[in-house]
Amino acid sequence: MLATKALVVAWSLTVCLTDLKTKRIPNALTFGAMLFGIGVLLVTGQTALGADWQSALLAAGIGLMLTAPAWFAGWLGGGDVKLLLAIGLLSGWHLTLFSFIVAGLLSGVAVVLSLLLSRYFALAMPQKRWLPFGAALSAGLLLAMGVYE
C-alpha cells in the first residue's frame, strides 16, 4: 500500500508541475492513472489509496458532474475533467471531493491575487485560460492525502 501511495504522490506532483509549466495535462498522465486505478481496483477491490470500489465509482461520477459542465462552458480544459476522473478512480469520493474544494479555493485565491496585482501594480492579465486548474486539483489531492491518511 505504501508503494501505491508513493506512486500516487509522484504522479500528482508530475501533473502539478506539468500543468504549471505547460498549462496542459498530457493524456498519458490522465489515462495512465485511470488504467492504473482500474487495475488496482480489479486486483484488490480497493482504490490505490484504500477506498472501496463503490467509493471509486461514486467519485468518478462526482468528478464528471463537477467538471463536465465547466468544460462544456469553456471554463475548464478537457485535461482537468480527465484528471478529476483519474483522482476519483485512485482515491474514492471523500478525497476527490476534498481535492475539488481545495482546488476551487486555491483558484479563487489566485484570481483575487491576480486582480489585485493587475489593479495596484498595473500588471496585465492574460486574455486566454491562464489558471492551471489541474495543478490546483493535484495540490488538493496531496493535501487530502495528508489530512485523511
Side-chain angles (χ1 to χ4, degrees), residues 116-131:
L116 289 172
L117 288 173
S118 68
R119 180 179 177 119
Y120 294 109
F121 296 104
L123 296 175
M125 291 199 38
Q127 297 300 315
K128 296 177 98 180
R129 274 191 220 136
W130 58 273
L131 188 63

Side-chain angles (χ1 to χ4, degrees), residues 14 25 28 30 36 43 60 64 69 86 109-110 114 120 122 124 128:
T14 302
I25 304 168
T30 54
F36 176 73
V43 171
L64 287 174
V109 167
S114 68
Y120 294 109
K128 296 177 98 180

Side-chain angles (χ1 to χ4, degrees), residues 12 15-16 19-20 25 63 66-67 75-76 79-81 83-84 87 94-112 130-144:
S12 189
V15 168
C16 185
D19 197 26
L20 285 172
I25 304 168
L66 291 172
T67 56
W75 300 335
L76 289 179
D80 301 323
V81 176
L83 176 61
L84 195 57
I87 288 172
H94 290 95
L95 297 180
T96 301
L97 197 53
F98 188 93
S99 300
F100 185 79
I101 291 168
V102 168
L105 292 171
L106 288 173
S107 298
V109 167
V111 167
V112 168
W130 58 273
L131 188 63
F133 193 66
L137 284 170
S138 296
L141 177 60
L142 292 171
L143 185 62

Side-chain angles (χ1 to χ4, degrees), residues 11 15 24-40 64 78-87 89-90:
W11 169 77
V15 168
R24 295 189 59 81
I25 304 168
N27 284 335
L29 288 175
T30 54
F31 287 130
M34 285 184 224
L35 288 174
F36 176 73
I38 291 168
V40 171
L64 287 174
D80 301 323
V81 176
K82 292 179 278 188
L83 176 61
L84 195 57
L85 181 60
I87 288 172
L89 291 171
L90 291 170

Side-chain angles (χ1 to χ4, degrees), residues 3-17:
T4 57
K5 287 181 183 178
L7 278 173
V8 171
V9 168
W11 169 77
S12 189
L13 287 171
T14 302
V15 168
C16 185
L17 294 174

